[in-house]
Amino acid sequence: MKTHLHLWAASSTLVAALSAFCVQPAIASDRVTPSTTDDSSEQAEPLATSDGAGAEQVAIAEQVAIAEQVKDEVTVWAEGRRETNYASPNSLLTPQDLTAVNAATTEDLVKYEPSLIIRRRFIGDANGVIGLRGSNMFQTTRTMVFADGIPLHYFLQTRWNGAPRWGLVTADEIGYVEVVYGPFSAEYGGNAMGGVVNIETRIPTDRQIRLTGTAMQQAFDALGYDASSSGNKGFLSYGEKFGKLSVYAAATRLENEGQPQTFRFGTSTPANGGEAQVSGSLAGANEYGNPVRYFGNTGPVDSRTDQFKLKLGYELPQGWFVLFNTGYEVRDIATDAAQNYLLGDGGAPLWNGTLVEDGAAFQVRGRDFNVNQQDRRSLLLGGRLQGPLTSNWQLEASVSVFDILEDETRTSSLNPLDPAFTPAGTVRNYDEAGWQSAEVKLQSDRLAGSDHWSLVTGTRYERYSLGVTNYSSGDYANGERTSLSNASGGDSELAALFAQLAWRAGAKWDVAFGGRFESWRSEDGFFNNRGQIDRHTDRSETRFSPKLSIGYAPSSNWLVRFSSARAFRFPIVEELFQNERRTNGTSIANANLEPEDGLHHNLMVERSLAGGGQLRLNLFTENIDDVIFNQTTLVDNRTVSTFLPIDEVVTDGAELVFNHSALGGGRLNLRFNIAYLDSEITANSANPALEGNVFPRMPKWRSHLLLNYHFNDRWDLGGGIRYSSNSFGDLDNRDTAREVFGAHDEFTQVNVKLGYQVRESLRLNLGVDNLTDEVAYVHHPWPGRTGFVGFVLDL
């Protein structure tokens, strides 16, 4: 086992000891957010800081002030307040930063943030998963995403299925985005082990009608596929304020064709003379470096997404504000044009059998060319209430309901062009799936009338339900269900109480303590295997998570902050209950999983720069026990996956951030960050051979550059570079081949965007993503060079 040098071993002992007590770290400094209660169109002024504010508040206030330089209104739905929970490193994105991004979908807006990865495989991808710091992109239950306090994170499933529902908030309505790193605030549970993305949307202050249109064109050439694909996106929004009532409504349609996501291959073996001769396959290698023959792909992915948004906000008497938020999404994705490269002696396609080309034999199965169609409809309802209880106390309450109205995938057994084709196939359907959440939070920035003490406390409740049923089908295209193959599902719930107390000890020091008590329960778990029903035993667990934060501001420009926290991430319903057999794989859940147990530390040193900038260094370490990880193997060309715990994973990291909004005589806005990660499996009793290996999907290096240069009032040029070193996809680290399907490659993606303000109400945009047309894989291929042309019209 590798010996890790933890920078804060003494604090580890302190936090572990605090687990026995009811105290958790709060925040020692105040965070400024824009106000919602002002009817004017002016940006709210930063609130005055107390004499213990220090450099941190100054830096954040400078970030918020950037928004005043842009035309768009940045008054947001969130109630303006100085929060007491800021014990974590954070990053703030303003509208000026977002204009430099070719934002085809909402997740594009955060993909340049420090230590963050968004894996969106093509425009229109339903699986835009997110990873933060020591939590990789398939550990989606470790990152929380909120819009106006309503959860967008998807804690019914994980891995590629666990992407946040980004489409339920539109890029046009965003006022600002804050990324919070780590579980150092008691307001968030163990699902914030990676961090939290908080999105706050804008309030219409007068009539605002916006129409936008974007056309997209992508070229992709790899592994026998060479074609161009196109797409388009249309958006219409209406905002109005009628006295105390604010209304925002929006509709989006996105249609796009993405590159093939899976390339089919067979392992090459020496021919023995009895195989059928074939032509058209390509010699290559798989991610393990073994010789293979590529013989086809799943074909382009056709996606269409319709999204509808309605928000109603009302200003109540005495400074209270209520918001109703609803989003409805219809998503159709078809992969129904699988390509077969193989031709027999007579020139007819070959669809199965043991075949040989150039002396190499390989196996082909008819199911490798199957086709499928997914239809999904989702509804999100949310509400938020904010206001002052007294002159010193604020209340915030929120509720949300997410319901999967329909989620059905129909898959054929064979390709329709295969002579052996029949309409037989499978139908997969999600039943009674969704979640409900509620939270009440109380906050005082002047506890007992003292400027030196502050408190935030509250309670949160969440409930999740998931059921999935697989049917055999005599006519898959029409969703005919012949017989039940298997069904599984269950429920979980989580209730929490939290509190954080902060003490500002003069102008230089602050200390925050807090704690989060959580009670978790799983129930009604079952597995129906062709009529044989197994029921899982109901379970319950309780955990307490202490927090600690100490800040020191030696001067108005410098801030040093140490944060430490314990966090527990409870298993979700998919990990516990989703057992199923599919056409190309089997998934086995584990109803006995224990919660992940993490100990997290962060040391931040930050200097505020003249003119609106920050230079920040974060050193962090994460020690997590009982890491829940989906382990997958290939058996007879079918995937078999199950959720098993890894005893311990340790991640050490360093993160350097440089942001400045006034370079080049005030014309250049620049954001740069670079992060180093060392993530290692340090203990694994089930398979000690894995100890010392790098944890999957965790590159050593990540770096992002985002900049926007304003030539004059009409022209601006934006650009971005995203870099990641390579990583492993498997626990055993055997997947060492690069630039092949299945690999996790190093990549450098260069993106540019040119904007022209034709007149006050009309803007034209021209952009390119992946300018160098780099071919790289994150198991699936990243998109090729993609061009954008679009307009924004304010009516």
Side-chain angles (χ1 to χ4, degrees):
M1 179 187 301
K2 175 182 173 183
T3 302
H4 285 260
L5 178 60
H6 295 292
L7 299 178
W8 311 283
S11 64
S12 301
T13 305
L14 173 61
V15 172
L18 283 172
S19 298
F21 299 90
C22 265
V23 203
Q24 160 166 2
I27 167 141
S29 62
D30 302 330
R31 188 184 63 180
V32 179
T33 56
S35 172
T36 62
T37 56
D38 188 356
D39 288 344
S40 72
S41 60
E42 296 181 357
Q43 170 67 35
E45 291 292 329
L47 295 172
T49 56
S50 66
D51 56 3
E56 188 167 8
Q57 297 90 325
V58 176
I60 297 169
E62 288 176 349
Q63 289 179 307
V64 175
I66 296 171
E68 298 178 0
Q69 303 172 14
V70 297
K71 172 187 172 185
D72 288 340
E73 175 59 53
V74 191
T75 304
V76 297
W77 296 95
E79 178 70 23
R81 61 192 176 101
R82 293 175 295 155
E83 295 186 351
T84 59
N85 68 330
Y86 187 72
S88 309
N90 84 324
S91 181
L92 187 68
L93 282 163
T94 69
Q96 179 170 305
D97 303 313
L98 305 181
T99 60
V101 181
N102 293 313
T105 53
T106 301
E107 58 264 45
D108 283 331
L109 298 176
V110 297
K111 66 185 181 184
Y112 294 96
E113 289 303 274
S115 298
L116 185 148
I117 180 71
I118 296 285
R119 191 211 67 163
R120 194 203 62 191
R121 302 168 300 169
F122 59 92
I123 297 172
D125 189 6
N127 302 322
V129 293
I130 182 174
L132 266 176
R133 284 203 170 178
S135 300
N136 71 34
M137 64 184 73
F138 269 22
Q139 294 174 299
T140 54
T141 53
R142 289 192 189 174
T143 301
M144 308 179 81
V145 180
F146 294 91
D148 296 324
I150 304 303
L152 301 182
H153 45 253
Y154 188 76
F155 291 164
L156 299 177
Q157 295 174 285
T158 185
R159 303 173 294 159
W160 51 273
N161 259 337
R165 296 304 174 101
W166 299 103
L168 295 173
V169 61
T170 69
D172 171 78
E173 65 180 314
I174 292 175
Y176 69 89
V177 181
E178 181 193 39
V179 181
V180 179
Y181 294 88
F184 302 110
S185 168
E187 288 196 60
Y188 307 111
N191 295 114
M193 281 184 172
V196 182
V197 177
N198 281 317
I199 301 170
E200 291 294 342
T201 64
R202 295 177 292 178
I203 295 176
T205 56
D206 52 20
R207 178 172 295 177
Q208 301 167 359
I209 301 175
R210 174 164 289 186
L211 175 67
T212 72
T214 304
M216 302 158 287
Q217 184 79 20
Q218 181 199 185
F220 188 84
D221 181 5
L223 299 179
Y225 180 89
D226 184 5
S228 294
S229 57
S230 60
N232 61 83
K233 179 181 178 181
F235 171 83
L236 177 64
S237 68
Y238 168 78
E240 181 72 277
K241 188 168 186 181
F242 304 95
K244 301 294 186 180
L245 176 66
S246 298
V247 178
Y248 179 86
T252 306
R253 167 161 287 189
L254 172 64
E255 295 182 286
N256 189 52
E257 184 178 79
Q259 75 279 9
Q261 292 304 298
T262 300
F263 290 85
R264 301 300 190 188
F265 61 82
T267 302
S268 298
T269 59
N272 60 24
E275 304 88 355
Q277 290 290 328
V278 71
S279 64
S281 67
L282 304 172
N286 62 11
E287 66 266 40
Y288 306 108
N290 299 323
V292 300
R293 303 292 299 194
Y294 285 92
F295 55 77
N297 61 67
T298 51
V301 185
D302 289 318
S303 67
R304 189 182 80 179
T305 306
D306 292 317
Q307 294 153 346
F308 304 94
K309 196 73 187 288
L310 175 64
K311 294 187 298 185
L312 302 174
Y314 193 79
E315 297 174 18
L316 298 167
Q318 307 299 320
W320 287 82
F321 191 84
V322 63
L323 171 68
F324 172 76
N325 196 327
T326 181
Y328 176 68
E329 179 187 74
V330 179
R331 188 183 290 268
D332 299 318
I333 297 179
T335 310
D336 55 5
Q339 291 188 333
N340 180 1
Y341 304 160
L342 303 173
L343 297 176
D345 290 338
L350 294 180
W351 299 90
N352 63 75
T354 302
L355 309 177
V356 65
E357 183 171 3
D358 296 337
F362 55 98
Q363 186 71 35
V364 177
R365 299 169 177 82
R367 67 172 183 261
D368 293 331
F369 303 102
N370 63 8
V371 299
N372 66 73
Q373 168 78 42
Q374 181 187 26
D375 300 323
R376 191 175 86 182
R377 295 185 299 125
S378 305
L379 177 65
L380 174 67
L381 302 173
R384 188 194 229 180
L385 175 68
Q386 295 172 309
L389 290 175
T390 68
S391 59
N392 290 332
W393 285 94
Q394 296 279 330
L395 180 141
E396 179 180 338
S398 63
V399 295
S400 71
V401 175
F402 178 83
D403 192 8
I404 297 178
L405 304 175
E406 178 187 27
D407 193 336
E408 182 175 274
T409 301
R410 302 181 295 278
T411 305
S412 69
S413 298
L414 301 173
N415 190 281
L417 299 179
D418 187 337
F421 173 78
T422 66
T426 60
V427 177
R428 179 204 231 183
N429 188 66
Y430 286 93
D431 306 306
E432 299 180 1
W435 71 70
Q436 304 88 42
S437 72
E439 183 175 66
V440 177
K441 188 161 47 179
L442 290 170
Q443 177 176 306
S444 175
D445 293 321
R446 299 184 70 251
L447 188 63
S450 171
D451 290 331
H452 297 283
W453 292 91
S454 55
L455 175 70
V456 59
T457 184
T459 181
R460 183 173 181 84
Y461 174 81
E462 303 169 358
R463 183 175 179 86
Y464 300 91
S465 300
L466 180 69
V468 57
T469 306
N470 289 277
Y471 302 91
S472 59
S473 175
D475 184 355
Y476 78 95
N478 292 319
E480 178 183 309
R481 304 173 184 186
T482 304
S483 62
L484 172 70
S485 297
N486 52 82
S488 59
D491 302 327
S492 72
E493 64 179 21
L494 182 64
L497 296 172
F498 61 88
Q500 289 193 150
L501 180 66
W503 176 42
R504 293 182 284 271
K508 294 186 176 182
W509 288 93
D510 60 67
V511 182
F513 298 90
R516 187 178 183 94
F517 175 81
E518 294 174 306
S519 177
W520 172 85
R521 178 176 175 83
S522 69
E523 58 189 12
D524 298 331
F526 73 94
F527 177 37
N528 184 342
N529 186 12
R530 291 185 174 138
Q532 181 177 342
I533 301 177
D534 295 325
R535 304 224 175 250
H536 303 294
T537 302
D538 294 348
R539 295 174 51 202
S540 62
E541 305 273 356
T542 59
R543 295 291 190 275
F544 177 75
S545 305
K547 320 282 182 177
L548 169 68
S549 178
I550 302 173
Y552 174 62
S555 70
S556 61
N557 295 326
W558 285 95
L559 175 70
V560 179
R561 177 170 298 285
F562 169 72
S563 300
S564 186
R566 194 163 186 185
F568 296 91
R569 202 279 285 179
F570 293 92
I572 63 169
V573 283
E574 179 196 28
E575 296 166 334
L576 294 166
F577 303 131
Q578 187 170 331
N579 296 282
E580 57 178 341
R581 292 190 311 277
R582 303 182 301 276
T583 303
N584 292 322
T586 298
S587 179
I588 304 170
N590 186 348
N592 297 313
L593 289 169
E594 291 294 316
E596 296 180 327
D597 182 354
L599 194 58
H600 302 250
H601 312 287
N602 190 94
L603 177 64
M604 181 182 76
V605 180
E606 179 180 277
R607 176 174 173 78
S608 298
L609 305 176
Q614 298 84 33
L615 180 64
R616 178 186 300 162
L617 174 66
N618 282 302
L619 303 176
F620 58 89
T621 185
E622 304 174 5
N623 188 320
I624 302 179
D625 296 335
D626 298 321
V627 175
I628 301 172
F629 188 73
N630 183 262
Q631 304 185 33
T632 302
T633 187
L634 198 65
V635 179
D636 191 25
N637 207 31
R638 293 173 182 261
T639 59
V640 178
S641 62
T642 188
F643 293 97
L644 295 173
I646 299 170
D647 291 348
E648 182 183 65
V649 175
V650 175
T651 301
D652 296 324
E655 179 184 273
L656 180 66
V657 179
F658 172 68
N659 297 331
H660 210 293
S661 59
L663 298 174
R667 296 182 180 274
L668 178 63
N669 183 40
L670 182 146
R671 300 173 66 87
F672 170 77
N673 56 79
I674 185 169
Y676 172 80
L677 290 172
D678 179 16
S679 188
E680 181 179 310
I681 301 170
T682 53
N684 189 46
S685 58
N687 185 1
L690 299 179
E691 294 177 4
N693 285 1
V694 178
F695 194 69
R697 299 177 182 260
M698 294 295 292
K700 290 286 187 183
W701 292 96
R702 285 185 187 140
S703 184
H704 306 106
L705 172 67
L706 182 65
L707 50 85
N708 195 19
Y709 186 81
H710 299 275
F711 293 98
N712 51 46
D713 292 339
R714 290 187 178 272
W715 289 95
D716 59 78
L717 177 65
I721 300 176
R722 300 172 65 213
Y723 170 79
S724 174
S725 60
N726 55 33
S727 59
F728 298 102
D730 296 341
L731 291 168
D732 57 20
N733 292 177
R734 291 192 305 111
D735 52 324
T736 57
R738 299 305 170 202
E739 299 180 7
V740 297
F741 174 73
H744 290 76
D745 287 332
E746 176 185 41
F747 67 85
T748 303
Q749 294 184 359
V750 180
N751 311 319
V752 294
K753 181 180 180 181
L754 180 66
Y756 176 61
Q757 197 74 36
V758 179
R759 55 179 184 268
E760 185 177 359
S761 60
L762 177 62
R763 178 180 176 86
L764 302 180
N765 295 311
L766 184 68
V768 180
D769 278 357
N770 193 6
L771 181 66
T772 62
D773 200 24
E774 180 180 42
V775 176
Y777 297 86
V778 55
H779 187 89
H780 304 282
W782 289 105
R785 182 189 294 120
T786 305
F788 303 86
V789 58
F791 70 89
V792 180
L793 177 62
D794 292 312
L795 302 174

